[in-house]
Amino acid sequence: MASVSVRKETNTLYLDFRYIGKRCREQTPLKATIVNKRKLEKLLTQIESEIIAGTFRYAIRFPESKMSDHFSDAVFFKVVGTLYLNFKLHFLFLFQTAYLGSV
């Protein structure tokens, strides 16, 4: 579950979420206010939607992050490729089941 949290030492907000099975925490310069927390919650919702859709690119969203190296384009395309193959195999299974069932 993704969340927006407060770093007590600096009283600034950070994002805490999971991507490709790894925990990611991205610091922000935003102070811990209700308005800023709502902004980041909206951003986090968008990030989660991109992750689910397979369009999230860590390096584009967080270009200065050290974590960007862990999630290169190669990793992104591997994940997208795996999702595509799983979808294709599932579709073929359903098609064969429906076709063989009607013959």
Side-chain angles (χ1 to χ4, degrees):
M1 178 84 187
S3 64
V4 176
S5 300
V6 179
R7 186 176 185 104
K8 294 184 185 206
E9 298 87 7
T10 59
N11 197 37
T12 56
L13 298 171
Y14 68 93
L15 302 172
D16 190 355
F17 61 98
R18 294 187 90 58
Y19 180 55
I20 312 179
K22 293 195 185 269
R23 186 177 182 188
C24 304
R25 287 171 289 212
E26 290 297 330
Q27 305 294 322
T28 72
L30 299 176
K31 292 295 179 187
T33 66
I34 294 172
V35 173
N36 286 340
K37 188 171 183 181
R38 285 187 186 142
K39 285 180 188 178
L40 288 181
E41 286 171 345
K42 187 175 179 181
L43 173 65
L44 203 51
T45 300
Q46 187 177 14
I47 288 171
E48 287 181 310
S49 297
E50 291 174 6
I51 290 171
I52 291 168
T55 59
F56 179 71
R57 304 287 290 277
Y58 208 99
I60 291 173
R61 183 65 73 176
F62 303 107
E64 301 297 321
S65 174
K66 294 176 185 176
M67 291 294 286
S68 293
D69 296 338
H70 296 285
F71 304 116
S72 65
D73 285 345
V75 172
F76 172 77
F77 287 115
K78 180 180 177 184
V79 170
V80 171
T82 302
L83 290 172
Y84 170 75
L85 290 176
N86 286 339
F87 172 77
K88 185 176 179 182
L89 290 173
H90 184 69
F91 177 78
L92 288 174
F93 173 77
L94 292 175
F95 178 76
Q96 288 175 342
T97 303
Y99 179 73
L100 292 175
S102 64
V103 174

